Amino acid sequence: MNARDDISALQAAVRGPVLLPGQPGFAAECATYNLLNPLRPALVVGASCSADVRAAVRFAGGRGMPVAVSATGHQVRQPAGDAVLITLRRMAGVTVDAARRTAWVAGGARWQEVVEAAAAHGLAPVNGSSMTVGAVGYLLGGGLSPTLGRTRGYGADTIRAAEVVTADGQVHRVTAENVPDLFFAVRGGKGNFGVVTGVEIDLFEVRRLYGGAIYFAGEHAHEVLHAWRDWVVSLPEQMTTSVAIQRLPPAPELPAPIRGNFVVALRVAFLGPAGEGRRLVARMRAAAPVLLDDVADMPYTEVGRIHSDPVDPLPYVDRTTGLRALPPEAVDALLAVVGAGSRCPLTSVEIRALGGALDRQAEVPNAVSSRGLPFVLFGFGVGPAEQAASLSVHLGYVVDTMRQWADERTLPNFLSAAEATTPAEVRVVYGADLYDRLARIKARWDPGNMFRMNHNIVPDIPIHADASRFQLDRDVLAASEPSSDKASALGDPGSA
């Protein structure tokens, strides 16, 4: 069977679109959130159900092609030039079981859908800061919540079950009881172990919270950051907070006091009574003159306004690092490179305080790599491709400046395309023991490293004395390296 026949058979087998480069709809199907990180696969399958995913994986396996997966396109590691890209955006939908306080979340659902569906029953998930991010991808990478994290742990800790299409094209319902190794790995190991087409998660009784953002002029960054550093030490677990130094664009949707300005944004979310929240935040309100105060009692459905993350795609570069400490001298060093007078061009440099339940192992252990980190730093700069190199240099200044207080581990969800680009670097992110365990699980479920268009965990394939088996192992490991030869994977796309 030639390439044309193969693709025709795939098109007949799936309900969603199957598109090649240059065909109408291909670019839209491959669209990403970061305009500087495009996806250019050899073939894209817009999956509408698990059966479509299974057919796409089997097609890729039959041709020796890697598989990339995208729901909302918020984290792209490689362009996936020789891969089959499976998009999950058509597989949206959330089903809430209010009696069990759980939700089934389809692979393409965004947090807005999940939050609204849960709120209808007085419940809430351990969601992320952006309501437009795909919920499942966030959960698989650990999932750091700016609202429930310090009380309930990582988002991955709330996964009860997952539906996974593995590299052999089989569909598995994965739980701690029936497939314990894969259940461990997918909860924190991102998309290294298969295509996760849905998850069942815990929900919690939360209807309202006291939260929002307080903005100060950037000239007061010294007072605000030092006050925040002292403040977070004694906060109860019900309070989650971060602080960001921002150079905001003159966007019309931004409130006038901060539009186009250099500011410090304090983000807070408190799950206790609003009066207690006001008392706790009073100390930070007194740290410097306030430009804009948006902190108030709010329904949980409005949590997206705490961070007010951009909704529309934009071009940006980003970096992250975990921090094992934040002494006064670390704050001063950071301010020297991003504060007033630094001429820093970055849009935002944020420090999130972790701790609380984020330090505690889940009831059913999983592959979350960042427990015990007290802080994580995340920075990004927005600009067209011609500015990317300069912005990346400034991000490098920030990371290098904080290196003496940094931890080698960080959060996989925050990794950029330029970070952890080799197996050795990914091993550092996870820590040696955890990475090695995941590599052994990978060898069982994806020995050919089909799912490698990511921050890749390479399968731990043992080297055997038998010469023919040795050659097989070498071939499998070689397959983990991305290839730019699209023709070798699919034949001439024009022939289809």
Side-chain angles (χ1 to χ4, degrees):
M1 184 178 289
N2 60 32
R4 180 192 296 273
D5 291 337
D6 283 354
I7 294 170
S8 296
L10 179 61
Q11 289 171 328
V14 304
R15 288 160 42 186
V18 176
L19 302 169
L20 291 165
Q23 291 184 329
F26 178 87
E29 194 65 36
C30 300
T32 61
Y33 179 75
N34 187 346
L35 300 178
L36 297 183
N37 290 343
L39 283 166
R40 301 189 181 96
L43 175 77
V44 60
V45 178
S48 61
C49 59
S50 295
D52 284 3
V53 174
R54 184 180 182 184
V57 168
R58 289 187 167 188
F59 173 88
R63 299 186 68 87
M65 298 172 69
V67 168
V69 183
S70 176
T72 62
H74 275 79
Q75 189 177 44
V76 173
R77 167 64 187 89
Q78 299 179 35
D82 59 350
V84 173
L85 172 65
I86 301 173
T87 59
L88 301 178
R89 62 180 61 101
R90 291 170 183 79
M91 296 179 63
V94 180
T95 303
V96 174
D97 186 332
R100 295 176 61 235
R101 297 179 191 170
T102 63
W104 180 261
V105 181
R110 298 173 185 255
W111 274 125
Q112 189 68 52
E113 298 172 70
V114 186
V115 167
E116 290 180 353
H121 303 277
L123 302 170
V126 177
N127 56 276
S129 62
S130 171
M131 294 296 97
T132 62
V133 164
V136 171
Y138 159 97
L139 292 163
L140 300 183
L144 175 61
S145 176
T147 52
L148 272 67
R150 280 170 44 84
T151 59
R152 298 297 181 178
Y154 284 95
D157 301 347
T158 71
I159 297 177
R160 291 190 176 192
E163 184 179 83
V164 185
V165 180
T166 48
D168 58 1
Q170 297 300 313
V171 182
H172 304 266
R173 181 174 173 85
V174 178
T175 68
E177 292 75 30
N178 68 349
V179 197
D181 64 338
L182 189 56
F183 188 63
F184 173 89
V186 297
R187 295 174 302 134
K190 288 292 279 187
N192 271 284
F193 302 91
V195 185
V196 179
T197 55
V199 294
E200 182 183 56
I201 61 171
D202 288 315
L203 301 175
F204 305 94
E205 286 193 56
V206 181
R207 295 178 182 271
R208 306 185 68 84
L209 58 73
Y210 182 76
I214 300 173
Y215 293 87
F216 307 87
E219 289 73 19
H220 295 293
H222 183 275
E223 299 96 311
V224 175
L225 263 67
H226 277 282
W228 183 82
R229 190 198 73 84
D230 292 336
W231 182 61
V232 297
V233 173
S234 58
L235 288 177
E237 292 185 1
Q238 292 90 342
M239 176 69 82
T240 301
T241 182
S242 67
V243 65
I245 298 173
Q246 299 184 314
R247 288 163 171 86
L248 297 173
E253 63 269 21
L254 293 175
I258 63 174
R259 186 184 307 138
N261 287 335
F262 171 41
V263 300
V264 180
L266 167 71
R267 285 81 176 258
V268 299
F270 182 64
L271 298 176
E276 178 65 10
R278 280 191 292 272
R279 186 190 68 78
L280 287 169
V281 176
R283 179 174 167 186
M284 286 306 303
R285 285 192 168 106
V290 172
L291 287 178
L292 179 66
D293 189 339
D294 185 43
V295 176
D297 179 68
M298 66 170 71
Y300 199 83
T301 50
E302 295 182 14
V303 294
R305 82 177 203 223
I306 296 174
H307 279 246
S308 297
D309 289 333
V311 173
D312 296 326
L314 70 167
Y316 66 93
V317 293
D318 57 315
R319 290 284 300 275
T320 188
T321 185
L323 298 175
R324 54 179 170 75
L326 190 67
E329 54 269 30
V331 173
D332 289 339
L334 179 64
L335 289 171
V337 292
V338 302
S342 67
R343 303 183 69 180
C344 175
L346 301 176
T347 303
S348 180
V349 176
E350 179 191 37
I351 301 175
R352 297 193 187 190
L354 309 183
L358 297 167
D359 287 345
R360 298 192 285 271
Q361 183 55 269
E363 183 177 344
V364 179
N366 58 33
V368 170
S369 62
S370 48
R371 297 188 202 278
L373 283 179
F375 302 96
V376 64
L377 181 147
F378 175 75
F380 68 93
V382 178
E386 55 268 26
Q387 295 178 14
S390 175
L391 292 170
S392 295
V393 167
H394 282 275
L395 286 166
Y397 291 157
V398 173
V399 172
D400 290 344
T401 296
M402 303 303 288
R403 196 171 302 281
Q404 62 180 299
W405 302 286
D407 194 290
E408 290 183 323
R409 297 170 302 132
T410 191
L411 284 72
N413 278 349
F414 283 10
L415 291 172
S416 71
E419 295 176 294
T421 59
T422 68
E425 291 170 343
V426 176
R427 191 170 188 260
V428 169
V429 168
Y430 279 93
D433 290 345
L434 176 56
Y435 179 90
D436 291 347
R437 180 178 178 181
L438 292 173
R440 292 191 295 271
I441 297 171
K442 176 89 167 180
R444 177 184 176 190
W445 292 100
D446 184 16
N449 208 6
M450 173 183 283
F451 302 105
R452 61 182 180 266
M453 296 293 157
N454 45 34
H455 293 97
N456 189 228
I457 296 167
V458 177
D460 183 8
I461 305 293
I463 302 299
H464 300 275
D466 177 78
S468 62
R469 183 60 182 270
F470 175 74
Q471 182 62 45
L472 172 63
D473 290 340
R474 283 187 15 174
D475 292 345
V476 166
L477 289 172
S480 68
E481 296 300 321
S483 168
S484 60
D485 185 3
K486 188 180 299 184
S488 67
L490 192 62
D492 179 7
S495 67

